[in-house]
Amino acid sequence: MKLIYETHSTTVDNEAGVATGWLPGELSERGCQEARELGIRRREVDVVFSSDLRRAVQTVELAGLAVPHFQDWRLRECNYGTLNGAPRSELEPRIERVRTPFPDGQSYDDVLELTRSFLADIKRWYDDQVVLVVAHSANRWSLEHLLGNRGSMEQLVAQGVNWQPGWEYEI
């Protein structure tokens, strides 16, 4: 299976420096254009899975791909608990949240385990297909750890978000 991972497009919160977490979020004007570009870039996929949070769903909808689209709650961003919607700076240092949950929320290890569960399911159901996943930064760190052998979760979280137009993995 080929898995292509893309983060959701830019949101109003991203532009304002807000950590959306489990809040729905809304794409900005720039994000809407990025979503359309994603659709052009990823025409070769067989199926799309996304987080069920609005910003990821909206990204897939605007991409306009003519393949099945499934929403999976396991692909949500880390739940920042009481810090959902707070300024991003209030999440720092995030490395302290790899094993310890945010207040009333999740840890990055919790997201890792949900991502691991998701991967087990799609490997079983879509083994010979090209799967596009549209989700969030915590899921990308999890995929990089599980599939990319790019380091520990602590190392990946410490590196932060380094956007690019997708990551590809052979499973």
Side-chain angles (χ1 to χ4, degrees):
M1 172 179 54
K2 180 177 182 179
L3 186 145
I4 300 170
Y5 176 80
E6 294 262 1
T7 55
H8 64 77
S9 297
T10 302
T11 66
V12 173
D13 283 353
N14 293 143
E15 293 177 349
V18 171
T20 313
W22 271 24
L23 299 176
E26 188 70 28
L27 296 187
S28 67
E29 194 171 310
R30 179 176 132 209
C32 291
Q33 179 59 37
E34 291 168 350
R36 288 187 283 275
E37 291 168 4
L38 183 152
I40 294 166
R41 190 169 60 244
R42 300 300 180 189
R43 290 278 175 222
E44 79 281 4
V45 303
D46 297 309
V47 62
V48 179
F49 284 89
S50 76
S51 159
D52 63 346
L53 295 173
R54 179 68 188 140
R55 58 199 184 268
V57 173
Q58 189 179 19
T59 297
V60 175
E61 289 172 349
L62 288 173
L65 298 169
V67 297
H69 170 210
F70 301 99
Q71 298 173 35
D72 194 312
W73 74 273
R74 295 175 294 181
L75 294 172
R76 286 183 180 184
E77 177 61 278
C78 189
N79 181 358
Y80 306 136
T82 59
L83 295 175
N84 286 326
R88 264 195 311 263
S89 61
E90 290 186 29
L91 303 183
E92 299 301 335
R94 290 185 191 216
I95 195 166
E96 293 178 0
R97 299 301 177 178
V98 171
R99 304 227 184 312
T100 304
F102 286 93
D104 296 325
Q106 294 176 304
S107 69
Y108 288 111
D109 272 354
D110 292 332
V111 177
L112 175 69
E113 291 311 311
L114 290 169
T115 304
R116 187 186 317 271
S117 167
F118 168 77
L119 286 174
D121 286 344
I122 66 166
K123 281 196 272 190
R124 185 172 62 242
W125 299 328
Y126 298 95
D127 190 39
D128 60 345
Q129 297 185 35
V130 178
V131 177
L132 173 63
V133 173
V134 177
H136 311 273
S137 59
N139 312 102
R140 186 182 68 79
W141 294 328
S142 296
L143 290 171
E144 286 289 286
H145 175 71
L146 294 168
L147 303 176
N149 276 334
R150 304 253 195 309
S152 69
M153 285 298 285
E154 288 86 358
Q155 291 169 318
L156 294 163
V157 170
Q159 289 171 10
V161 178
N162 300 315
W163 187 88
Q164 67 183 49
W167 290 260
E168 297 185 9
Y169 306 94
E170 290 293 329
I171 301 176

